[in-house]
Amino acid sequence: MRRFLVTGAGGPAGRALLAALTRRGFPATGVDAAPDAPEVETVPFADHPCFVAEVLRAAARHRAGIVVPTVSEELPPLAAAALGRTGGPRIVVGTPAAVAAGADKWRTARLLDLAGVPVPRTLLAGWPEPERLGSPFLSKPRRGRGGRGVRLHGTPGAFPPPMDDDHILQEYAPGAEYAVDLYADTVVVLRKTLLRQGLVGNAVSVRRESAPDVADVARAAVATLGLTGPVDVDVRRRADGTPLVLEVNARFGALSGHAPEVLDALLADYP
């Protein structure tokens, strides 16, 4: 019987994945840097020098042969640890280069734009000519998860306190927003029907939708970045209907419970 260790077990993606594995009858243990349940073990934060070692020790204690990270900040150290491993648990993560590209929203936007994958107009905070973004526009952390730190601004001059190049400014697309969950050839499109902050933020509710153009740009983004394994892509439409890739998360998304085929595809890949 395959045993799993899921990181970020206190977050929405980790909880969803643990619940899905349990429903399928697989033994699964959760770890988290700030656990909110007694059955979830504590590991250091991703930037701690002992993070990877503690995750692997937890996997060994629970005889877990497969480690599935669900926190963006954990992906780079775990990708580095997985590179060239020949023993111990298998870590479900992309290559270090691909993970690094997906973790940096500025780099993601640049790489996808150069490859012809449609993305919002994007600038590093502090760059000149922000009026190129139109109005309204968004500011967001260059690296971060979900809707954390995302702000909508009404006019190009309406900046928050001065920001450095750890933030980006981005065109606001007013159309429908989607989460696209992928694993290899498996693609599930989820339309976000309600957002926590109204016009932006994490999804409160979703529905499955057939949107081939949305699925196509998500596939193109994943291929451009060279990502493997589970990927969660946020897409939003311009007023004219053009789908734009907002960001790419090289992990299971918070909404993966609505896309069980993605976990099925991973299980088929990790017998």
Side-chain angles (χ1 to χ4, degrees):
M1 171 68 75
R2 286 166 287 180
R3 294 176 178 271
F4 291 82
L5 184 84
V6 176
T7 76
R15 289 196 300 267
L17 181 56
L18 279 171
L21 288 167
T22 300
R23 283 194 298 270
R24 287 167 172 76
F26 290 102
T29 300
V31 296
D32 197 287
D36 58 359
E39 65 272 16
V40 176
E41 291 194 13
T42 302
V43 294
F45 285 98
D47 59 357
H48 193 283
C50 294
F51 166 71
V52 170
E54 288 302 319
V55 168
L56 295 179
R57 287 191 188 102
R61 283 195 302 274
H62 294 278
R63 294 180 291 128
I66 304 170
V67 174
V68 188
T70 68
V71 178
S72 297
E73 293 87 342
E74 297 174 346
L75 299 177
L78 288 172
L83 193 64
R85 279 178 64 83
T86 57
R90 292 175 288 175
I91 304 174
V92 182
V93 67
T95 65
V99 164
D104 183 338
K105 294 182 177 66
W106 168 246
R107 190 174 172 192
T108 297
R110 294 290 295 156
L111 289 172
L112 296 186
D113 187 43
L114 289 170
V117 180
V119 294
R121 293 185 295 274
T122 304
L123 297 172
L124 279 175
W127 278 34
E129 301 180 349
E131 61 273 8
R132 290 161 45 194
L133 300 175
S135 178
F137 69 99
L138 298 169
S139 64
K140 60 176 70 172
R142 185 169 167 175
R143 298 171 180 83
R145 286 177 275 151
R148 293 172 176 84
V150 177
R151 296 179 62 183
L152 183 66
H153 306 281
T155 64
F159 289 106
M163 295 181 293
D164 55 23
D165 60 8
D166 283 335
H167 290 77
I168 60 171
L169 307 178
Q170 200 164 63
E171 166 196 0
Y172 172 70
E177 185 168 335
Y178 304 85
V180 186
D181 285 4
L182 307 92
Y183 188 98
D185 295 330
T186 300
V187 183
V188 178
V189 177
L190 303 170
R191 179 168 178 167
K192 301 179 183 182
T193 54
L194 183 63
L195 299 176
R196 192 170 302 281
Q197 296 165 243
L199 296 177
V200 295
N202 295 330
V204 176
S205 60
V206 299
R207 69 167 181 260
R208 293 170 68 104
E209 187 167 295
S210 176
D213 57 343
V214 172
D216 286 345
V217 298
R219 284 192 194 94
V222 170
T224 297
L225 298 179
L227 286 167
T228 57
V231 186
D232 171 54
V233 181
D234 284 338
V235 177
R236 192 154 185 164
R237 294 190 187 275
R238 279 193 176 123
D240 65 2
T242 302
L244 307 174
V245 175
L246 303 182
E247 61 182 77
V248 180
N249 302 297
R251 55 174 173 75
F252 276 98
L255 304 172
S256 63
H258 298 273
E261 302 96 318
V262 175
L263 177 56
D264 291 339
L266 180 146
L267 293 172
D269 239 7
Y270 285 79

